[in-house]
Amino acid sequence: MSYLAFVTHATPFQAGYPSVLSEEARAVFGTGTIGNVLFYLVQIASAAILYTGANTSFNGFPFLASFVAEDRLLPRQLTKRGHRLVFSNGIIVLTVVSVLLLVVTGGSVNALVPFYAIGVFTGFVMAGYGMTKHHLGAREPGWQWPLAINLGAGILATIVVGIFAVAKFTEGAWLVVVAFPVLVYILMRLNCEYRAEASVLEKLRHSAPLESQYAHRKVFLMVGSIDLAVLEALRYARGLRASELTAVHFMIDDVYAQRLRQRWEHFGIKAKLEIIDCPDRRITHAAQRLVVQALEEENTGVTVLLPRRSYAPFLGRLLHDRTADRIARVVSRIPHAVATIVPFDVQAQIRQTFPELPEERITRKVERLRERMAGEEDRVENGQESHERAPAAIPIEALIPGQRATVEGRVLSMETTGSSPRTRYRATITTKAANLSSSFTDRWHSR
Amino acid sequence: MMPGMALRVSGKVRQQSEKEPAQMINPQYQILADKPDGSPS
């Protein structure tokens, strides 16, 4: 290509188009019919190569990102596979960043090349020096030659990165030069955070008792207003068979609290309602005080129930505060106290009551689309179940009690009871129409 | 044995009531597909 550029005197246009490649192809093939065909063939082939190159990133990056995220250097969301068994979040991140770069640079190749070159050659630098370190550590037979090659590659790549960073600094390379160290710092901080979380959770697993029996179990149900969410939480609270169940309202506005008590009496709710004055308006502190006081009685455990109304994910966050989460965070720090959030899906109720709202119509359309996509996946999954069926085997729903039979199905769930060597396994085997449970003493026998 | 595997189970069938799932006594089983994604063993 460089030779052709030299021979044909192809010079790049300031606008970037037509490209040098196109100029060369035009000069080599001419403007005849065959020349035109070959010219377009070169253009299409170049586009196809670039398309394949771009697609490689979409294949490779999500996998790479998931490995890095597993090592806790990127957000954990990147390890999740979507319904189509690909790392959807990685693909979405890459798409957003790519589109952003295209918009910011106006799709100019000249502006994008420094990003590409620095990115690629930084990879070569890391690979070169990484392998150099490996050879120095491992010292396998004949290690000197590979060491020289890798070290040489690392040094050359460093020089190239340096040249690009200096020569193209004002044309966009500055962003990479600034962004790389900042990103590396952020990712290291993220790693520290994940490691801290993991070490704390591991410590709790070893120190916390597996079972705790309390003589008294006090349940507090936090009530901000009287609605279906509170009634659902109350129903759940009654099922806990607590030695003491109290509905608690922290009073910030006395008129409102008075009205709440009247409504409580009006609806004939039998649970005890306690209204506690909260003059400093700090509900989380008041909840903390209440729990600590309740725990002063010996051998007592406290459960705080927090009804949470769940709204549409984004709009709900904007329109409603997260008091329940804040109280839960504070209560969960107190020993012998547990905070339980009882969710109530307000969004589902809105959907039923006001089906014609424009937001609901859009949501329904999105859900229908999702269902259609999920339907396609179900068909694929069902296709996987088509293992060879023995001619004598029958489906579970055709079993006759009292007789010996052979059935085929898929293991739906497995229960493990007891401890080794007397462990028993109960498997529920399912087909589309019926379930069958079987107990085994050894989950690997008769393979 | 893990959830997701395809099995062929042989044994005597017992069912206490219509509402409960059938049980198999002294079952012997053979794994037909041993990966949760259903791929063959």
Side-chain angles (χ1 to χ4, degrees), chain A residues 51-72:
Chain A
Y51 171 80
T52 316
N55 200 38
T56 309
S57 313
F58 280 88
N59 283 330
F61 173 80
F63 270 97
L64 184 67
S66 84
F67 295 145
V68 180
E70 271 172 25
D71 291 339
R72 300 168 181 166

Side-chain angles (χ1 to χ4, degrees), chain A residues 402 405 407 409-411 437 443 446, chain B residues 4-5 7 9 11 13 22 29 37:
Chain A
V407 297
R410 190 164 286 280
V411 181
S437 74
R443 65 181 178 143
S446 79
Chain B
M5 287 179 175
L7 287 191
V9 190
V13 180
Y29 70 86
D37 65 1

Side-chain angles (χ1 to χ4, degrees), chain A residues 15-275:
Chain A
Y17 304 98
S19 64
V20 172
L21 180 71
S22 125
E23 282 183 66
E24 287 176 13
R26 183 58 81 196
V28 170
F29 299 129
T31 49
T33 314
I34 297 173
N36 274 340
V37 170
L38 289 172
F39 172 78
Y40 284 112
L41 206 65
V42 169
Q43 297 298 312
I44 292 166
S46 311
I49 290 168
L50 289 174
Y51 171 80
T52 316
N55 200 38
T56 309
S57 313
F58 280 88
N59 283 330
F61 173 80
F63 270 97
L64 184 67
S66 84
F67 295 145
V68 180
E70 271 172 25
D71 291 339
R72 300 168 181 166
L73 281 160
L74 277 174
R76 198 152 296 166
Q77 286 90 329
L78 293 170
T79 59
K80 298 276 181 296
R81 285 181 189 267
H83 291 301
R84 291 184 179 271
L85 302 179
V86 291
F87 296 102
S88 320
N89 290 336
I91 294 175
I92 291 167
V93 167
L94 190 60
T95 309
V96 170
V97 175
S98 313
V99 170
L100 213 67
L101 278 176
L102 283 174
V103 171
V104 169
T105 60
S108 160
V109 178
N110 286 346
L112 286 168
V113 159
F115 290 106
Y116 169 79
I118 288 191
V120 167
F121 280 94
T122 308
F124 292 163
V125 171
M126 288 189 221
Y129 291 140
M131 285 308 290
T132 306
K133 189 172 180 251
H134 166 76
H135 290 308
L136 282 174
R139 308 240 170 174
E140 289 152 349
W143 57 277
Q144 290 91 344
W145 182 236
L147 172 84
I149 292 175
N150 285 305
L151 185 62
I155 292 168
L156 271 179
T158 311
I159 293 168
V160 174
V161 170
I163 292 170
F164 260 108
V166 173
K168 299 279 182 181
F169 190 78
T170 51
E171 292 173 38
W174 67 270
L175 190 62
V176 183
V177 174
V178 173
F180 266 36
V182 171
L183 262 177
V184 167
Y185 176 75
I186 291 172
L187 298 183
M188 299 299 273
R189 292 304 315 156
L190 194 77
N191 182 253
C192 286
E193 183 66 29
Y194 274 139
R195 278 179 191 278
E197 281 173 17
S199 69
V200 166
L201 287 171
E202 284 290 314
K203 200 170 72 185
L204 285 179
R205 200 181 63 182
H206 292 300
S207 63
L210 283 174
E211 288 174 26
S212 48
Q213 293 288 335
Y214 297 107
H216 307 284
R217 164 67 65 185
K218 291 183 182 175
V219 174
F220 294 114
L221 169 65
M222 298 296 162
V223 178
S225 58
I226 298 174
D227 55 16
L228 279 175
V230 168
L231 293 182
E232 280 296 321
L234 192 61
R235 192 177 300 163
Y236 172 70
R238 288 214 174 99
L240 293 176
R241 300 183 186 281
S243 40
E244 200 180 315
L245 167 63
T246 313
V248 177
H249 174 72
F250 293 111
M251 188 178 80
I252 290 172
D253 178 344
D254 57 342
V255 178
Y256 180 83
Q258 178 74 14
R259 213 181 307 142
L260 185 119
R261 197 175 63 189
Q262 282 166 358
R263 274 168 65 81
W264 192 266
E265 287 162 7
H266 173 75
F267 286 114
I269 302 169
K270 283 179 185 151
K272 183 169 70 177
L273 174 69
E274 191 176 343
I275 296 175

Side-chain angles (χ1 to χ4, degrees), chain B residues 3-5 9 11-13 15-17 19-24 27-28 30 34-35 37-38 40:
Chain B
M5 287 179 175
V9 190
K12 194 174 176 183
V13 180
Q15 193 163 24
Q16 308 280 31
S17 70
K19 284 179 187 172
E20 287 175 38
Q23 289 184 345
M24 197 158 260
Q28 292 289 313
Q30 182 193 352
D34 64 355
K35 287 183 186 169
D37 65 1

